[in-house]
Amino acid sequence: MSTADPVKVAVVYYSSTGIIAAIAKEISSAAENAGAEVRLRRAKELAPQAAIDSNPAWAENARATASIPEAVPDDLLWADAMVLGTPTRFGNVSSQLKQVLDQLGGAWEKGLLADKVYSGFTSSATLHGGQESTLLALYNTMHHFGGLIASPGYTDGSKFVDGNPYGTSHVDGAGENPVDDVTRQAARVQAERVVRIARALKSGLAQT
Ligand SMILES: Cc1cc2nc3c(=O)[nH]c(=O)nc-3n(C[C@H](O)[C@H](O)[C@H](O)COP(=O)(O)O)c2cc1C
């Protein structure tokens, strides 16, 4: 693998009120800084317009991220590594991100999603609000793909500060806590690890 063939990373996320969108941008920048070619993609909104309009933060995030392309299956097929982000929804993956994954049945059947690197990030309103269960639920799908999950673990000293080895996560305090330096550091560590592992995997697979 040459530098002309960089690792390709798709950062695919859903975000209502902007927390996950902010983390997705941090992960995208860090992956680019680590030498990856990045596609930042958002999951198509499925909620009714009235629900969006009823929440100023949701309406503002929809406006602010309208220029980010919606994810299509090709974005995930294109990628060597996928970093997937979702707010927790009752301890689970949001329906919008799930819908992106649920469009991949054909690609899964052909084995096109195997041998890729996957990693996830999430946010919740409350501490212990379901972050770990959300990431583990997300990772169920990656096992079905035959993917390789690159969780951050405690591979960097900063992980003992943010405390989530399953993936970057943030507690937004119901809109009171914007994405902070601790979460941004976790995002950068995760992005750099994903790029490093994907680069090693891509180069190794090229020799098989
Ligand atoms: C339907 C729904 C379910 C939610 N479930 C939880 C939950 O189980 N635990 C929690 O702490 N927060 C929960 N939240 C809050 C969001 O996960 C949280 O505010 C998140 O940080 C929002 O991310 P976003 O700004 O990217 O949309 C829920 C929000 C909604 C709308």
Side-chain angles (χ1 to χ4, degrees):
M1 192 181 59
S2 69
T3 49
D5 186 19
V7 164
K8 300 185 183 80
V9 176
V11 180
V12 179
Y13 75 93
Y14 174 72
S15 181
S16 294
T17 54
I19 297 290
I20 289 293
I23 301 171
K25 286 177 191 162
E26 189 75 40
I27 287 175
S28 295
S29 302
E32 271 172 1
N33 290 340
E37 186 180 343
V38 175
R39 285 188 190 178
L40 173 63
R41 297 291 185 266
R42 65 186 168 85
K44 183 180 168 66
E45 183 58 89
L46 302 176
Q49 191 63 42
I52 299 167
D53 293 342
S54 72
N55 180 334
W58 196 350
E60 172 50 30
N61 180 53
R63 264 192 303 276
T65 59
S67 63
I68 295 173
E70 286 180 356
V72 293
D74 179 64
D75 294 319
L76 293 98
L77 299 178
W78 165 86
D80 303 304
M82 273 157 267
V83 193
L84 301 157
T86 175
T88 191
R89 291 286 186 258
F90 309 121
N92 217 319
V93 177
S94 63
S95 57
Q96 290 87 345
L97 186 69
K98 191 67 168 48
Q99 174 70 0
V100 173
L101 300 175
D102 287 352
Q103 292 176 57
L104 296 172
W108 162 80
E109 204 169 6
K110 294 183 189 132
L112 300 177
L113 298 162
D115 298 349
K116 293 174 183 278
V117 169
Y118 296 87
S119 206
F121 58 103
T122 192
S123 66
S124 63
T126 59
L127 192 62
H128 310 298
Q131 297 185 340
E132 294 179 3
S133 61
T134 299
L135 289 172
L136 289 170
L138 176 67
Y139 293 156
N140 280 337
T141 301
M142 278 71 252
H143 290 295
H144 286 252
F145 289 172
L148 292 117
I149 297 169
S151 46
Y154 293 92
T155 55
D156 185 90
S158 64
K159 294 305 299 176
F160 291 93
V161 179
D162 76 70
N164 192 338
Y166 299 84
T168 301
S169 60
H170 185 74
V171 177
D172 75 17
E176 294 299 310
N177 308 326
V179 173
D180 58 9
D181 287 346
V182 170
T183 300
R184 289 186 188 281
Q185 172 67 14
R188 288 192 290 271
V189 165
Q190 185 171 15
E192 286 162 13
R193 179 167 168 78
V194 164
V195 172
R196 190 166 66 83
I197 302 291
R199 186 177 285 133
L201 181 64
K202 186 171 183 172
S203 138
L205 286 174
Q207 295 167 45
T208 60

